[in-house]
């Protein structure tokens, strides 16, 4: 009798239905087409500020758009660092460190042929910060302002120079600006002029909807076809400003496919060329077919973020530390086929921000049980906790089996873990609303993975009292005067060494206070057919499609 696994069933269903047939054989022979199966359940937003977490930045942000600053994704053997993007240089004012001057890259064109200049930068800042701007779009604010909460305004100095102002001195601003993608003001205006609506507000909403279906950025790819929940197709933009990143692949097709076995089956059946987060138990089969699996250490954390709201079971530090001692990360590593890093904190030992915390995150259930007993909890008298999780999504790795494993791991120490499983983008939206919001549905922890490549993303947004919801991602309302002082020291350190020293002190205190259960570091496994060439898997959550080629 043949035993049909979920992978077999998914493979059969895809082959039978032919749901991913993308074009005729003749067309495929003429074009070099790269087909990607994403973990998202829908196409990330295409209007300039993507949703769906950083999978959105990876697939509809970086390919279609540029920001003033970017990440160097060209190396696999070194951490990604900040590099110029649409800005060639930037400096902070020596007398007033709330003001920055950015020199812009000349000769850059949007996909619609209009010029990129200082007016475009001011327009794109206003789209998410100025409620009085005719093109202000509230729907883009949540995924933008929460990632750069100190940015307040932009002012044109001349066509190729802008001044950005922050609410306080903030050495992190150039890093944060990697998330502000530049959309074409001229293209939006055409959509607005043609849009229906009884008033300017209605016309603006209609214009953004039309823009999302026919976007215009400055990125190496331009949009050619968009079908919500089905596919996004982009084509090489031969007028791209960076000759090294003018794509050699003619077309890229991105397909939402949130279930790991379905993604794996699509690759094995030849329906796609690239899948994110393949099913761990299929790694051998993937490689036996001649496909390649890429992974690398990266600044990406897979935790439970804990609530400090009144009545939360996590208010006792002994409970928080016990949970960190009772997770069998070696067993989880085996479950994932080796595709994870074992964390000691948000950053690893040896990192400039490590700081040598006094609390050692490790697997020590005996010490964990001792702490739980001191807090009044045992396996016979367990502590009930509820965690809001997703079934898939950007950076979520394999959330259902991973969370179930952690659930059993913590049971031995006196935790009774329940889950509230919701769709990934809903979870991501809830993350900004906070533990006190009804959207938490009684959960006192949330499982949202996050990139940790800069100080704000790694630490500040989760620990500052200034980043409580809805400002940013301090979902659990963690923070105190000591932490705020350490953050201020880092924000005001415009020298790299001084900033690293301040951040090391901050990281050490965060680990000691344990506002997270640090469970895993993602290594970003993705599988591709051998015909995809020149793949660089950087030490980053992002990857550059523009420099890849295909046989």
């Amino acid at each position: 009798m043949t035993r049909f696994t979920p992978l077999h069933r998914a493979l059969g269903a895809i082959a039978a239905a032919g749901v991913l047939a993308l074009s005729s054989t003749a067309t495929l022979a003429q074009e070099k087409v790269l087909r990607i199966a994403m973990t998202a359940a829908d196409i990330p937003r295409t209007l300039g500020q993507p949703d769906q977490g950083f999978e959105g930045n990876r697939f509809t942000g970086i390919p279609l758009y540029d920001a003033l600053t970017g990440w160097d994704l060209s190396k696999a053997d070194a951490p990604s660092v900040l590099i110029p993007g649409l800005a060639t240089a930037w400096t902070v004012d020596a007398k007033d460190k709330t003001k920055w001057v950015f020199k812009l890259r000349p000769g850059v064109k949007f996909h619609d042929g209009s010029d990129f200049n200082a007016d475009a930068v001011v327009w794109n800042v206003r789209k998410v910060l100025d409620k009085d701007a005719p093109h202000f779009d509230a729907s883009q604010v949540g995924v933008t302002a929460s990632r750069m909460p100190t940015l307040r305004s932009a002012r044109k100095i001349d066509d190729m120079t802008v001044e950005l102002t922050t609410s306080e001195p903030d050495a992190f601003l150039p890093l944060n600006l990697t998330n502000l993608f530049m959309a074409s003001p001229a293209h939006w205006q055409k959509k607005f002029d043609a849009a229906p609506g009884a008033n300017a507000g209605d016309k603006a909403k209609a214009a953004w909807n039309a823009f999302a279906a026919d976007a215009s950025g400055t990125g190496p790819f331009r949009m050619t076809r968009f079908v919500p929940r089905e596919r996004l197709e982009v084509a090489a933009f031969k007028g791209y400003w960076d000759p090294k990143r003018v794509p050699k692949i003619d077309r890229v097709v991105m397909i939402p496919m949130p279930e790991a076995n379905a993604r794996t089956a699509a690759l094995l059946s030849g329906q796609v060329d690239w899948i994110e987060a393949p099913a761990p138990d299929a790694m051998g089969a993937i490689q036996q077919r001649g496909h390649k699996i890429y992974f690398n250490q990266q600044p990406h954390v897979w935790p439970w973020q804990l609530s400090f709201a009144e009545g939360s079971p996590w208010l006792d530090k002994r409970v928080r530390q016990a949970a960190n001692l009772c997770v069998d990360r070696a067993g989880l590593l085996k479950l994932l086929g080796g595709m994870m890093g074992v964390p000691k904190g948000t950053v690893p030992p040896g990192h400039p921000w490590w700081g040598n915390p006094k609390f050692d995150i490790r697997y020590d259930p005996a010490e964990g049980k001792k702490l739980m007993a001191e807090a009044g909890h045992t396996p016979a008298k367990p502590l009930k906790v509820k965690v809001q999780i997703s079934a898939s999504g950007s950076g979520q790795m394999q959330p259902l089996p991973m969370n179930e494993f952690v659930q059993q791991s913590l049971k031995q120490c006196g935790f009774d873990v329940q889950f509230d499983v919701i769709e990934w983008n809903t979870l991501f939206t809830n993350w900004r609303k906070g533990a006190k919001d009804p959207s938490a549905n009684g959960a006192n922890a949330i499982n949202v993975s996050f990139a940790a490549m800069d100080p704000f993303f790694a630490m500040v947004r989760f620990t500052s009292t200034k980043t409580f919801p809805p400002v940013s991602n301090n979902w659990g309302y963690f923070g105190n005067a000591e932490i705020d002082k350490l953050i201020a020291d880092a924000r005001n350190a415009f020298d790299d060494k001084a900033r690293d020293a301040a951040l090391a002190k901050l990281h050490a205190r965060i680990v000691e206070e344990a506002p997270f259960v640090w469970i895993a570091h993602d290594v970003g496994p993705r599988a591709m057919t051998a015909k995809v060439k020149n793949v660089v898997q950087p030490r980053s959550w992002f990857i550059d499609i523009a420099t890849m080629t295909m046989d």
Side-chain angles (χ1 to χ4, degrees):
M1 180 179 293
T2 302
R3 180 177 178 269
F4 287 95
T5 66
L7 176 57
H8 286 117
R9 288 193 292 271
L11 182 59
I14 288 174
V19 295
L20 298 180
L22 300 172
S23 58
S24 69
T25 302
T27 301
L28 288 172
Q30 294 167 4
E31 287 187 303
K32 294 179 179 178
V33 181
L34 174 63
R35 302 159 300 172
I36 303 172
M38 304 179 291
T39 67
D42 197 359
I43 302 295
R45 300 188 80 195
T46 54
L47 72 183
Q49 298 305 138
D51 61 353
Q52 300 286 349
F54 270 171
E55 190 163 40
N57 284 33
R58 184 163 63 248
F59 289 129
T60 67
I62 293 170
L64 292 172
Y65 296 92
D66 294 301
L68 293 179
T69 56
W71 296 104
D72 183 359
L73 304 177
S74 66
K75 301 178 183 68
D77 57 355
S80 294
V81 296
L82 193 72
I83 57 174
L86 293 177
T88 58
W90 50 90
T91 55
V92 65
D93 190 298
K95 295 181 179 179
D96 182 356
K97 288 188 166 53
T98 66
K99 296 188 182 302
W100 294 76
V101 173
F102 286 76
K103 299 297 292 184
L104 305 182
R105 189 175 300 279
V108 176
K109 297 282 188 181
F110 287 102
H111 299 152
D112 61 286
S114 61
D115 293 328
F116 168 77
N117 51 32
D119 290 323
V121 176
V122 174
W123 188 91
N124 276 279
V125 170
R126 293 185 71 201
K127 76 183 178 186
V128 291
L129 293 184
D130 185 357
K131 294 181 179 179
D132 294 326
H135 61 290
F136 175 78
D137 184 14
S139 75
Q140 298 185 56
V141 172
V143 293
T144 310
S146 63
R147 295 172 174 174
M148 51 192 74
T150 65
L151 181 62
R152 288 295 176 267
S153 63
R155 179 177 70 88
K156 174 182 176 180
I157 295 176
D158 59 44
D159 281 349
M160 289 290 109
T161 313
V162 292
E163 178 187 77
L164 300 185
T165 301
T166 58
S167 58
E168 61 183 280
D170 187 359
F172 309 155
L173 181 69
L175 295 156
N176 297 160
L177 288 173
T178 59
N179 298 286
L180 182 61
F181 293 108
M182 296 291 147
S184 168
H187 193 62
W188 183 89
Q189 189 63 47
K190 289 181 180 178
K191 301 298 184 185
F192 179 84
D193 293 343
N199 54 55
D202 290 343
K203 284 176 66 68
K205 289 180 181 179
W208 277 118
N209 288 335
F211 188 99
D214 177 29
S216 178
T218 65
F221 292 92
R222 58 181 178 81
M223 181 189 292
T224 57
R225 187 183 180 201
F226 171 58
V227 183
R229 293 193 176 274
E230 182 180 321
R231 76 183 63 200
L232 170 68
E233 298 187 19
V234 300
F237 178 45
K238 298 303 183 181
Y240 188 60
W241 55 266
D242 184 354
K244 298 188 299 295
R245 296 187 64 229
V246 174
K248 295 181 176 60
I249 294 174
D250 297 307
R251 189 158 54 99
V252 180
V253 182
M254 304 172 199
I255 304 155
M257 201 173 293
E259 209 280 312
N261 283 317
R263 288 193 301 275
T264 302
L267 179 73
L268 294 177
S269 64
Q271 300 289 332
V272 298
D273 309 295
W274 163 345
I275 63 171
E276 296 286 278
D281 61 357
M283 295 291 188
I286 289 171
Q287 292 173 309
Q288 287 171 7
R289 298 284 186 92
H291 304 317
K292 295 185 178 182
I293 295 173
Y294 296 88
F295 63 96
N296 203 345
Q297 63 185 54
Q298 58 182 252
H300 199 266
V301 185
W302 198 93
W304 287 357
Q305 186 177 357
L306 309 178
S307 170
F308 289 76
E310 184 179 357
S312 172
W314 301 105
L315 293 175
D316 190 326
K317 183 162 70 172
R318 295 171 297 186
V319 170
R320 303 195 299 272
Q321 291 187 342
N324 276 287
L325 294 171
C326 291
V327 176
D328 179 9
R329 296 173 184 84
L332 190 59
L333 179 67
K334 184 177 180 181
L335 175 73
L336 295 175
M339 291 295 165
M340 66 167 266
V342 176
K344 286 286 188 178
T346 296
V347 299
H351 191 284
W353 308 338
W354 169 243
N356 199 28
K358 295 176 183 177
F359 175 57
D360 179 27
I361 297 173
R362 63 196 188 278
Y363 184 48
D364 190 345
E367 180 63 20
K369 290 177 183 178
K370 179 182 175 184
L371 288 173
M372 286 293 281
E374 291 174 2
H377 309 291
T378 66
K381 187 183 176 183
L383 177 66
K384 292 184 179 294
V385 299
K386 185 176 183 179
V387 190
Q388 198 164 73
I389 70 173
S390 67
S392 66
S394 171
Q396 293 296 90
M397 301 176 70
Q398 308 294 337
L400 293 180
M402 289 174 71
N403 275 300
E404 289 168 357
F405 184 93
V406 174
Q407 179 186 49
Q408 293 303 310
S409 194
L410 292 181
K411 186 176 182 180
Q412 65 180 320
C413 290
F415 289 92
D416 180 3
V417 179
Q418 296 178 323
F419 294 125
D420 179 28
V421 184
I422 60 177
E423 190 270 331
W424 157 241
N425 210 41
T426 303
L427 181 76
F428 194 75
T429 300
N430 292 357
W431 195 33
R432 295 191 298 270
K433 295 179 179 179
K436 298 177 183 179
D437 189 81
S439 64
N441 195 26
N444 44 61
I446 192 168
N447 172 221
V448 178
S449 62
F450 62 87
M453 67 280 200
D454 73 64
F456 179 74
F457 273 75
M459 293 182 278
V460 173
R461 59 179 172 156
F462 305 120
T463 59
S464 171
T465 59
K466 295 181 180 180
T467 57
F468 287 166
V471 174
S472 194
N473 299 116
N474 195 341
W475 179 89
Y477 296 86
F478 170 79
N480 54 53
E482 178 196 6
I483 296 288
D484 282 346
K485 173 63 166 57
L486 293 172
I487 291 171
D489 290 345
R491 279 197 191 279
N492 283 276
F494 289 83
D495 171 76
D496 290 346
K497 289 185 178 179
R499 186 165 60 250
D500 285 346
L503 291 167
K505 292 179 181 178
L506 174 62
H507 181 260
R509 288 298 294 126
I510 292 172
V511 172
E512 289 159 3
E513 289 299 313
F516 296 101
V517 180
W518 286 272
I519 295 169
H521 286 318
D522 193 6
V523 295
R526 48 180 55 96
M528 301 186 196
T529 63
K531 66 182 179 180
V532 185
K533 305 293 187 183
N534 293 320
V535 178
V536 176
Q537 174 104 354
R539 294 183 185 176
S540 171
W541 180 230
F542 306 122
I543 191 168
D544 192 0
I545 304 172
T547 55
M548 297 180 189
T549 60
M550 292 188 73
D551 286 345

